[in-house]
Amino acid sequence: EVQLVESGGGLVQAGGSLRLSCAASGFNFNDFTIGWFRQAPGKEREGSGVSCISNVDGRTYYGDSVKGRFTISSDPAKNTVYLQMNSLKPEDTALYYCAAYYGVMSTTAGNFLYWGQGTQVTVSS
């Protein structure tokens, strides 16, 4: 059974940090790109990833709004991807999902095959 389980969300003040985790199982982790996507309150889920990492060749992607603040990493030994989020802003408040794409790299939500249930991140001003 394929599973993606997110954890690490919570309530934090602006300027604070959180580290999200995405634990994967049920598929060959090393063949997939793992992406983080978010859905802000009252809005649709963003179609482009917040950040993605390819377990195939190690390349990474960051959306413009998070460059310099978020860092994505992968631990193949644990089948887990992390998203370190620093200098958080109120506009980062969202439900954060991790998802898996079979291939070298994609940042488009519609291409991702497997999805987790999400973890809530709330940043207070």
Side-chain angles (χ1 to χ4, degrees):
E1 178 187 6
V2 171
Q3 281 194 316
L4 291 168
V5 180
E6 303 95 335
S7 62
L11 173 63
V12 65
Q13 289 188 332
S17 299
L18 285 173
R19 189 177 80 153
L20 306 184
S21 298
C22 172
S25 61
F27 59 93
N28 190 343
F29 188 74
N30 293 335
D31 289 341
F32 282 75
T33 291
I34 304 297
W36 287 96
F37 297 82
R38 65 188 181 186
Q39 182 173 11
K43 296 186 178 181
E44 293 187 356
R45 187 172 58 199
E46 295 178 4
S48 183
V50 172
S51 182
C52 304
I53 186 165
S54 171
N55 290 314
V56 179
D57 65 3
R59 73 180 74 177
T60 58
Y61 163 84
Y62 296 95
D64 288 341
S65 63
V66 306
K67 281 180 182 175
R69 300 189 297 124
F70 290 9
T71 303
I72 194 168
S73 61
S74 179
D75 186 348
K78 297 182 178 180
N79 278 13
T80 300
V81 168
Y82 304 96
L83 185 67
Q84 178 66 44
M85 306 188 297
N86 298 330
S87 302
L88 283 162
K89 304 175 181 180
E91 51 263 43
D92 293 318
T93 294
L95 186 61
Y96 282 72
Y97 298 90
C98 70
Y101 165 76
Y102 180 68
V104 174
M105 173 58 75
S106 179
T107 64
T108 303
N111 291 339
F112 282 69
L113 184 60
Y114 306 127
W115 289 82
Q117 294 300 306
T119 185
Q120 179 67 41
V121 171
T122 303
V123 184
S124 63
S125 57

